[in-house]
Amino acid sequence: MKLKDPRLLKTQALIDGQWLDADDGGSIPVVNPADGEVIARVARCQGTETRRAIEAASRAFQDWRSQTAKARSRALRRWFDLIIAHQEDLAVIMTAEQGKPLAESRGEVAYGAAFLEWFAEEAPRVYGDTIPGPAPDKRVVTLKQPVGVVACITPWNFPIAMLTRKVGPALAAGCAVVCKPASATPLSALAIAELAVRADIPAGVVNVLAGDTRAIGGELTANPEVRKLTFTGSTAVGKMLLEQCAATVKRTSMELGGNAPFIVFNDADLDAAVQGALICKFRNAGQTCVCANRILVQSDIHDAFAERLAAAVAALRVGNGMQPETEVGPLIDSKAADSVLGMVEDAVELGAEVLAGGQRAVNGECFVEPTILTGVRSDMRVFREEIFGPVAPLVKFDTDDEAVELANDTEYGLAAYFYSRDIGRVWRMAERLDYGIVGINEGIISNEAAPFGGMKASGIGREGSKYGMDEYLEVKYLCMGGI
């Protein structure tokens, strides 16, 4: 990696404002999925380091919460400015450890920074209420106070944005955080932690450590000083964390798995739908929890849509994310690629046909060809499971009711998409889809001003937007008598 500021490449843990090695000197490798090269080794922290980070956050919280909202806002704004100023270096680090094309990494850096900007502006707008009292001599007031120490566990697919979407509102509310980034992509989180230090965010307010997932997670869930845990990742791990947090009755936010339907009706603008499906499905090589997982197409336009989508997919350029022409990078590791190819194989064995792709790409073990499957049914794995790869299964439907039934036939409820130019159908479908996020004639729906979160097994709570602040605040009721 060629960085303008090499100091951004951090390999130690940030605990109480200090960069520290693991107590036992252990480390974990960070591997570039495009070529298998070990690009760094980061401190392999465990329970003892996590306890120290929690203790540091607990101490720092007492002063941070007492600072004015405007002071916290200014600190977040300084952090935002530094991230934008170092956008290119951060993008290079992200592409090196995660694999996504450099253009997408630049976009994620800007998107992630936007959460700090947004919540910097929300910090002075945490309002309480004055409520009419139940008797002439009583007054009722509510105020909002920070939850306390917050544990943030983030995934590898969006290593900056998933962190700032949690840390931004937590700090704006007056909380201190202990962050555990994914072991596959810790360098991005450590780099923005370095910028938090440069932004003069007080020591202990932001702590970041990678390492032993079980040991760190066990301490974060069991330690009573941690009053909230926020997690983005798989539903299976989310359920386990919920169980572990029950013993200390922690507040939780869970942004979990998805199985997004992408519905194309016969009155849709087909060219727009194809472009929407292309960016929604193949961005980050299909490794997003809100990407199109099942593409449902009305029967009378199915073949025309499939033909246009196949032509667009055939033009996608697969390669190392550092190469400027690359549009689809590698999956995070060879195990992920094997899993995706196993789903394709299952679908073909059950009768699906490969319209495009379907094989491991020639670029390496972590690469999968952008793939389109037709003739997909609801008993196939590509319909039931979250694919997390560049595979687009096409499913035919005839009526609106059938589309709704197919779309809702999943335990998940994070994101859904549909294309239609009939305003009546738009309202009916939007209301009937059991999803927390619905994109209508639009394939990219995430932004810092909108609430992000799902229903059913896709999670609990909302991130981003004005609603995102509520996840880090307690509402306190004051009853004043004898007035």
Side-chain angles (χ1 to χ4, degrees), residues 48-235:
T48 53
E49 296 93 335
T50 309
R51 274 192 295 279
R52 287 207 303 276
I54 294 170
E55 290 165 2
S58 186
R59 291 191 301 270
F61 167 63
Q62 300 306 324
D63 178 66
W64 182 248
R65 70 180 301 183
S66 67
Q67 292 198 22
T68 65
K70 196 167 186 179
R72 294 196 298 269
S73 175
R74 286 195 294 265
L76 284 170
R77 180 69 200 203
R78 290 195 300 271
W79 195 8
F80 162 80
D81 289 337
L82 284 168
I83 289 176
I84 293 299
H86 293 84
Q87 181 179 18
E88 190 64 21
D89 276 352
L90 293 171
V92 168
I93 290 171
M94 189 186 305
T95 293
E97 66 175 346
Q98 200 274 339
K100 67 180 61 177
L102 198 55
E104 289 190 23
S105 294
R106 293 187 189 104
E108 184 186 334
V109 174
Y111 173 52
F115 286 106
L116 300 182
E117 180 184 41
W118 172 267
F119 287 109
E121 294 166 351
E122 286 294 293
R125 294 172 178 81
V126 177
Y127 301 131
D129 295 296
T130 301
I131 301 171
D137 64 338
K138 292 181 173 63
R139 300 293 184 270
V140 175
V141 174
T142 67
L143 53 86
K144 295 180 180 179
Q145 295 181 311
V147 168
V149 175
V150 175
C152 307
I153 302 178
T154 56
W156 50 261
N157 57 338
F158 289 92
I160 286 181
M162 297 302 95
L163 189 63
T164 56
R165 198 163 72 183
K166 300 175 186 304
V167 175
L171 265 61
C175 302
V177 298
V178 178
C179 306
K180 196 278 178 193
S183 296
T185 57
L187 300 176
S188 295
L190 294 169
I192 65 167
E194 163 66 12
L195 296 178
V197 173
R198 297 184 195 180
D200 294 326
I201 292 176
V205 172
V206 175
N207 305 272
V208 181
L209 65 168
D212 187 322
T213 298
R214 187 175 296 274
I216 294 173
E219 183 63 31
L220 292 176
T221 56
N223 196 309
E225 287 295 312
V226 176
R227 295 311 312 144
K228 177 183 173 68
L229 183 140
T230 172
F231 169 73
T232 297
S234 72
T235 295

Side-chain angles (χ1 to χ4, degrees), residues 324-469:
E325 69 274 11
T326 295
E327 295 169 295
V328 178
L331 300 193
I332 189 63
D333 54 35
S334 60
K335 183 179 177 181
D338 291 342
S339 175
V340 170
L341 291 169
M343 291 187 187
V344 173
E345 183 179 348
D346 169 80
V348 172
E349 287 178 355
L350 292 175
E353 295 184 4
V354 177
L355 187 60
Q359 303 293 324
R360 195 182 302 271
V362 298
N363 309 75
E365 287 297 306
C366 298
F367 292 84
V368 173
E369 294 176 341
T371 299
I372 300 175
L373 299 174
T374 59
V376 171
R377 302 190 311 270
S378 62
D379 60 337
M380 298 175 181
R381 288 179 59 200
V382 289
F383 186 96
R384 313 299 320 175
E385 301 176 22
E386 187 172 23
I387 300 170
F388 240 59
V391 177
L394 270 58
V395 183
K396 286 183 180 181
F397 71 89
D398 292 317
T399 67
D400 289 20
D401 287 343
E402 185 183 0
V404 171
E405 183 178 356
L406 287 168
N408 289 340
D409 184 17
T410 175
E411 66 174 322
Y412 299 106
L414 183 54
Y417 308 82
F418 68 88
Y419 276 70
S420 172
R421 289 180 287 192
D422 180 331
I423 188 64
R425 175 182 266 165
V426 164
W427 277 106
R428 291 191 301 271
M429 291 301 300
E431 292 169 355
R432 295 177 68 189
L433 290 170
D434 295 334
Y435 292 84
I437 305 166
V438 180
I440 303 165
N441 297 320
E442 181 59 56
I444 295 293
I445 39 76
S446 299
N447 65 81
E448 72 279 6
F452 189 102
M455 303 176 180
K456 301 190 289 186
S458 286
I460 301 168
R462 294 294 182 269
E463 294 187 324
S465 80
K466 66 176 184 179
Y467 302 105
M469 286 290 289

Side-chain angles (χ1 to χ4, degrees), residues 199-332:
D200 294 326
I201 292 176
V205 172
V206 175
N207 305 272
V208 181
L209 65 168
D212 187 322
T213 298
R214 187 175 296 274
I216 294 173
E219 183 63 31
L220 292 176
T221 56
N223 196 309
E225 287 295 312
V226 176
R227 295 311 312 144
K228 177 183 173 68
L229 183 140
T230 172
F231 169 73
T232 297
S234 72
T235 295
V237 174
K239 289 178 179 178
M240 180 182 69
L241 292 172
L242 284 169
E243 290 180 0
Q244 294 174 354
C245 287
T248 49
V249 197
K250 298 189 195 306
R251 290 269 296 274
T252 59
S253 295
M254 295 282 156
E255 198 270 280
L256 307 178
N259 187 357
F262 186 102
I263 309 169
V264 185
F265 289 102
N266 56 12
D267 65 328
D269 179 330
L270 273 193
D271 289 332
V274 166
Q275 288 305 308
L278 197 69
I279 192 169
C280 184
K281 173 70 254 187
F282 296 102
R283 181 172 63 105
N284 199 19
Q287 299 173 114
T288 80
C289 54
V290 295
C291 76
N293 211 62
R294 301 163 292 152
I295 301 180
L296 315 179
V297 188
Q298 204 148 20
S299 297
D300 49 350
I301 61 165
H302 174 276
D303 292 349
F305 176 85
E307 181 180 351
R308 295 188 196 190
L309 183 62
V313 167
L316 290 174
R317 291 165 293 191
V318 179
N320 188 315
M322 292 294 187
Q323 298 168 346
E325 69 274 11
T326 295
E327 295 169 295
V328 178
L331 300 193
I332 189 63

